[in-house]
Amino acid sequence: MLDINTSIKSVPRITPKYIRVLEKLGLFTVKDLLLYLPFRYDDFSKIVPLSKDFVGQAITTSGKIIKAKNNRLFRRKMTITEIIIEDENGEKLKAVWFNQPYILENFPVGSTARFSGKLGTAGKYFSMSNPAFEKSTRDATNTGCLVPIYSEASGITSKWIRWQIKTLLPLAKNMPDILPEEIRKKYNLSDIYTTLSQIHFPDNAEKLVRAQKRIAFQEMFLVQLKTLEIKKEFEEKNSNKIRFDEKLIKNFVSNLPFKLTNAQRKASFEILKDLERSHPMNRLLNGDVGSGKTIVAAISALQTISAGYQTAIMAPTEVLARQHFESFCEIFKNYDFNIALLTSSYKLVYQKNKNKLVRRDVLLEKIASGKINLVIGTHALIQKDVKFRNLALVIIDEQHRFGVNQRAMLQSETMHIDDGIKKSIPHLLTMTATPIPRTLAIAFFGSLDLSILDEMPKNRKPITTKIVTPSERNKIYEFIRSEIKKERQVFVILPLVEESLSESMLDVKAVKVEHERLSRKIFPEFKLGLLHGKLKAKEKEEVMENFKNKNFDILVSTSVVEVGIDIPNATVIVIENSERFGLTQLHQFRGRVGRGKEQSYCFLFTEKKPARLNIMEKTNDGFEISEHDLKLRGPGQFFGTIQSGLPDIAMEHLSNVKLIKFARAEAKDLLENDPELKGHPLLADALKKFSEKIHLE
Ligand code: ADP
Ligand code: MG
């Protein structure tokens, strides 16, 4: 007998070929498969007769098959399956599929079927290419409803997954629910069986949203439990007291080429106070791009190093780590500090104004013996077996859309780092690159200490932003031409073609096509670079390096590529199909320009010109924009993908900040009454799995 814990290997319909793929996706049991959620839905819920009114729309229609055949095009080595159906009004639809000759078996002439897809026309017929289909006698699973689309990355079709889940779903009736019933009742959340039924096969949009809300709440609840657990662990640990040396800091600050903003002053003070305590700091420095987080980090590093301890700074990519290395060498040029850059491709040590390449093992020895005061690297720095002599401060610069899971992981990694000192762990300062809306930050990180840089340095020239409709394109291209003639550089950003979790070959193609078009038709006189996520790390870096060295005038790139690198000479950023992005993300892109002395420009290309974008023209204040975005799209977008297998789509239904507050309050309550989760074995188990997953990422 099958139950939810049965291995997928024992499910009769799942053949070895599929088992391999499912296991690769981390799905081993029936339960795992049932918890594999769609990342979007095709809305085929409208069943309509064939009509000109629906041309261009996604619809479902049904009719009788009157003709069906395979056409083989030998010269093009292609088979086209073509069928004609007639609906009850006598209108005809021609449906075609490419290279799937076996599909023909589904369409005996005279039978009736439903077809879902985008309606077009072909001569006297209506047309659909590659429509989803189903016999009319069957339940609506693939057509005629909100059809779930699963990630097909590993070669399993959504149709196959739907089929499996449909048959296995009844087993979820006995699935224990990890959310305690009291909590479900209190917040009117559906039970797990109803939730899974509606997530995979929604009756309607409303029930789907309710199911997604429950999933979002559950994830948030687990994250909060984890966060509180880590917080408690932190509080039980000791750290080294680092005495605040007023003279040292005052001297450093007065020698800076600028005056600190009040926000920088306040944040630095909060951090220096934390460092004086014998319990580890766990503070988040929340600030916009360009708000001056680096100097705040430098002040805390200066205090730590001067007290005789080591400091580590981590960035998400090698390029950014190297950039930090260069900044810190400059910032501390008048101090007698040894600063090292440690990543897999660089093994540089900076000692008194000269860069010297050293062997990795030599460098590791210097870190272990305490000769190095400040180590800069990627996140791998604390995960690898780097040993320190006395590491007292860890600074993590995120510089990307922060993933809650990564933060939790980095926090617990910090606790297990070999800091070289007995019975202590380092103080931890995390810096975000996206300004997190204040209300959200307080709700989510209520248990964490927060410093906010909500004030920009005064000398900034605000970036001029303009929403550009198709008729104004050429004018903007002319403007760009004049900027490049002044030796300035330009970014062009393309959104993902399909809403999905990662960049696909389609996106690579789209960015190549645009690169080609701009190179040939618009800017034949300039040099254009091309950047996308499918390039190897080394290739990406080479492209960036070339752009930085002005070997390209324009860089065309997909949106997923992290270009955190400083290109002060870039003064223009063009964002194609800008309506496809959230405001926070647009603001983030915009931060790639405006880093130099010259006036910078951001052009939001769009055909639709939604009112939502207007705020981008009005303000450069990241907090204002993210607060606005929070109201428009809810908090889910700020969390990234919380857990592999939990797509953004569920988080999108984390409809308000209140839900997060509730999740935190409930998590706190539960832990207060049952700190070891002894009375909640299901939750304890889920939390353990959750932590394991985080570690695997
Ligand atoms: P981010 O918060 O994005 O990390 P940075 O720390 O890189 O920002 O600072 C951006 C730029 O602003 C740097 O060139 C830095 O030297 C400069 N800067 C930082 N603080 C101030 C200030 N108070 N006044 C003027 N310029 C500043
Ligand atoms: Mg920074």
Side-chain angles (χ1 to χ4, degrees):
M1 262 263 295
L2 293 180
D3 65 43
I4 55 159
N5 294 317
T6 306
S7 157
I8 51 167
K9 289 182 180 149
S10 312
V11 178
R13 292 172 309 275
I14 305 183
T15 53
K17 175 183 136 202
Y18 283 106
I19 289 168
R20 271 195 303 277
V21 184
L22 292 176
E23 287 187 343
K24 225 183 247 164
L25 290 170
L27 312 176
F28 298 96
T29 62
V30 169
K31 183 169 148 196
D32 294 340
L33 187 56
L34 291 176
L35 289 170
Y36 189 66
L37 307 184
F39 77 93
R40 69 179 176 87
Y41 298 81
D42 273 341
D43 187 355
F44 290 138
S45 51
K46 264 195 287 194
I47 302 188
V48 294
L50 290 165
S51 152
K52 284 250 179 313
D53 297 346
F54 300 117
V55 170
Q57 294 185 35
I59 58 153
T60 297
T61 196
S62 80
K64 191 190 232 173
I65 292 150
I66 55 174
K67 222 190 233 169
K69 62 173 182 197
N70 277 333
N71 295 325
R72 274 177 237 281
L73 303 181
F74 290 104
R75 275 174 49 204
R76 287 164 66 190
K77 294 204 175 85
M78 203 179 190
T79 307
I80 300 180
T81 306
E82 185 181 296
I83 67 166
I84 311 277
I85 69 157
E86 190 177 68
D87 78 357
E88 54 193 27
N89 303 325
E91 297 286 350
K92 294 193 180 90
L93 171 80
K94 183 194 273 185
V96 293
W97 291 265
F98 303 96
N99 292 328
Q100 301 172 60
Y102 46 85
I103 234 171
L104 194 68
E105 293 164 20
N106 295 290
F107 308 115
V109 170
S111 66
T112 57
R114 279 189 301 269
F115 298 86
S116 287
K118 196 167 158 190
L119 192 66
T121 53
K124 57 181 178 166
Y125 298 112
F126 288 99
S127 69
M128 276 187 191
S129 79
N130 285 314
F133 60 88
E134 222 158 21
K135 289 203 182 79
S136 296
T137 47
R138 286 252 209 111
D139 279 1
T141 305
N142 296 311
T143 65
C145 55
L146 281 166
V147 180
I149 307 294
Y150 302 83
S151 168
E152 299 188 351
S154 317
I156 302 189
T157 64
S158 287
K159 194 167 182 174
W160 187 87
I161 298 176
R162 285 196 287 269
W163 175 54
Q164 294 300 334
I165 291 182
K166 185 111 196 172
T167 35
L168 295 170
L169 194 59
L171 298 173
K173 275 184 191 145
N174 306 320
M175 189 159 150
D177 201 322
I178 62 166
L179 268 190
E181 200 181 343
E182 313 88 75
I183 295 183
R184 276 191 342 250
K185 280 222 173 97
K186 195 158 159 192
Y187 301 104
N188 189 25
L189 302 167
S190 49
D191 62 81
I192 189 69
Y193 174 66
T194 312
T195 301
L196 289 179
S197 310
Q198 291 301 326
I199 283 250
H200 291 295
F201 307 106
D203 288 337
N204 54 45
E206 202 180 314
K207 287 190 179 169
L208 172 62
V209 169
R210 184 152 182 254
Q212 287 179 324
K213 237 183 207 162
R214 133 100 209 207
I215 295 284
F217 185 91
Q218 173 177 324
E219 292 303 313
M220 207 26 83
F221 186 62
L222 285 177
V223 172
Q224 293 291 354
L225 281 174
K226 185 80 211 156
T227 311
L228 289 167
E229 219 176 45
I230 292 174
K231 176 180 152 64
K232 192 164 148 246
E233 218 180 316
F234 254 85
E235 280 166 356
E236 286 164 358
K237 294 270 161 63
N238 292 316
S239 63
N240 300 287
K241 289 190 195 180
I242 298 165
R243 202 180 54 82
F244 173 37
D245 181 345
E246 197 177 340
K247 222 171 105 198
L248 171 85
I249 302 297
K250 275 211 165 124
N251 183 46
F252 173 78
V253 171
S254 65
N255 280 313
L256 287 174
F258 44 75
K259 225 174 129 236
L260 289 185
T261 63
N262 283 328
Q264 282 173 317
R265 210 175 283 280
K266 183 158 173 266
S268 304
F269 188 70
E270 286 165 345
I271 294 165
L272 293 170
K273 279 279 144 208
D274 279 0
L275 293 177
E276 287 199 299
R277 300 188 316 160
S278 59
H279 289 289
M281 163 171 78
N282 187 4
R283 185 174 284 277
L284 179 69
L285 183 58
N286 182 13
D288 202 351
V289 183
S291 58
K293 294 184 286 288
T294 313
I295 284 296
V296 176
I299 288 173
S300 29
L302 170 67
Q303 181 65 80
T304 307
I305 297 168
S306 299
Y309 295 103
Q310 290 171 300
T311 298
I313 299 180
M314 278 164 283
T317 65
E318 298 211 342
V319 181
L320 289 170
R322 185 164 134 196
Q323 199 167 292
H324 268 318
F325 174 67
E326 280 158 13
S327 314
F328 279 90
C329 287
E330 173 63 26
I331 291 169
F332 290 140
K333 65 174 184 283
N334 298 325
Y335 293 81
D336 202 15
F337 298 159
N338 291 320
I339 305 174
L341 175 66
L342 177 66
T343 72
S344 46
S345 40
Y346 307 110
K347 288 122 205 165
L348 288 177
V349 189
Y350 179 85
Q351 282 168 305
K352 299 191 192 81
N353 299 319
K354 61 174 194 284
N355 281 349
K356 205 170 72 180
L357 273 164
V358 299
R359 285 210 333 256
R360 190 183 172 83
D361 55 340
V362 174
L363 181 52
L364 288 180
E365 206 286 313
K366 282 177 186 240
I367 295 170
S369 68
K371 284 206 185 70
I372 303 291
N373 308 102
L374 175 58
V375 190
I376 298 171
T378 54
H379 293 163
L381 195 60
I382 49 169
Q383 290 155 17
K384 299 266 168 60
D385 53 348
V386 182
K387 289 192 171 54
F388 292 85
R389 194 175 95 87
N390 60 3
L391 178 69
L393 173 65
V394 170
I395 299 170
I396 299 175
D397 191 3
E398 291 178 338
Q399 290 284 6
H400 55 5
R401 213 172 146 219
F402 72 106
V404 175
N405 43 7
Q406 271 151 318
R407 165 152 325 116
M409 181 201 62
L410 289 168
Q411 287 182 352
S412 64
E413 296 282 357
T414 312
M415 268 183 280
H416 301 116
I417 194 168
D418 186 355
D419 69 348
I421 316 169
K422 280 211 171 67
K423 294 193 187 113
S424 78
I425 66 165
H427 294 285
L428 175 62
L429 176 67
T430 315
M431 308 196 282
T432 63
T434 324
I436 307 165
R438 208 176 308 240
T439 41
L440 180 62
I442 291 166
F444 189 78
F445 304 107
S447 50
L448 212 118
D449 296 309
L450 265 179
S451 291
I452 302 176
L453 294 187
D454 52 2
E455 187 187 350
M456 284 299 213
K458 296 222 166 42
N459 56 1
R460 285 295 139 74
K461 266 206 182 115
I463 299 163
T464 303
T465 301
K466 190 171 161 20
I467 298 168
V468 182
T469 54
S471 63
E472 301 163 308
R473 247 177 201 263
N474 286 334
K475 215 171 75 198
I476 300 301
Y477 284 145
E478 273 320 303
F479 177 79
I480 290 175
R481 186 163 281 123
S482 69
E483 281 288 296
I484 299 176
K485 284 191 180 136
K486 286 190 255 170
E487 306 267 293
R488 315 273 155 74
Q489 288 167 285
V490 178
F491 286 104
V492 175
I493 310 287
L494 268 71
L496 295 184
V497 175
E498 283 200 325
E499 206 179 301
S500 72
L501 298 177
S502 60
E503 199 177 304
S504 70
M505 288 319 287
L506 228 64
D507 298 306
V508 175
K509 185 162 171 239
V511 77
K512 280 184 179 159
V513 168
E514 179 64 7
H515 175 262
E516 186 73 14
R517 186 185 77 89
L518 291 174
S519 308
R520 288 193 180 199
K521 298 222 173 92
I522 314 284
F523 300 117
E525 72 271 45
F526 299 135
K527 285 167 294 185
L528 286 84
L530 172 68
L531 192 64
H532 57 76
K534 293 278 190 279
L535 293 175
K536 297 201 181 74
K538 269 265 172 310
E539 296 172 318
K540 276 188 223 165
E541 217 172 289
E542 219 166 275
V543 174
M544 286 314 302
E545 208 57 34
N546 270 321
F547 191 50
K548 196 170 184 172
N549 297 333
K550 304 189 187 169
N551 296 333
F552 300 131
D553 304 299
I554 301 176
L555 184 65
V556 185
S557 143
T558 53
S559 56
V560 290
V561 180
E562 205 48 66
V563 192
I565 196 166
D566 234 356
I567 315 264
N569 192 49
T571 57
V572 179
I573 184 163
V574 168
I575 303 168
E576 288 283 350
N577 294 101
S578 53
E579 74 282 349
R580 305 263 301 263
F581 294 104
L583 299 174
T584 310
Q585 220 180 341
L586 289 176
H587 178 68
Q588 199 76 8
F589 290 139
R590 180 164 68 177
R592 288 183 193 173
V593 297
R595 295 179 181 213
K597 289 186 291 292
E598 310 301 336
Q599 175 63 49
S600 288
Y601 304 87
C602 170
F603 296 113
L604 304 176
F605 282 15
T606 172
E607 283 176 24
K608 298 184 179 147
K609 214 177 177 192
R612 174 175 81 86
L613 294 183
N614 292 346
I615 191 173
M616 297 299 298
E617 286 184 341
K618 290 200 194 92
T619 181
N620 272 289
D621 181 339
F623 279 101
E624 193 180 330
I625 288 167
S626 66
E627 208 60 71
H628 194 73
D629 211 13
L630 175 67
K631 278 192 208 116
L632 288 176
R633 300 196 307 154
Q637 52 169 318
F638 291 96
F639 291 105
T641 307
I642 288 215
Q643 189 187 331
S644 51
L646 180 88
D648 279 1
I649 191 168
M651 294 316 289
E652 268 165 34
H653 291 282
L654 195 60
S655 51
N656 53 43
V657 171
K658 252 199 247 147
L659 206 63
I660 299 174
K661 276 193 186 154
F662 290 150
R664 190 177 91 226
E666 293 302 334
K668 214 170 157 186
D669 225 43
L670 193 96
L671 284 178
E672 258 158 35
N673 293 317
D674 184 8
E676 314 275 312
L677 295 177
K678 285 207 174 84
H680 299 85
L682 286 171
L683 266 181
D685 192 46
L687 205 56
K688 204 170 132 250
K689 285 232 174 70
F690 184 72
S691 315
E692 279 163 9
K693 236 178 196 162
I694 286 171
H695 275 269
L696 286 177
E697 268 166 25

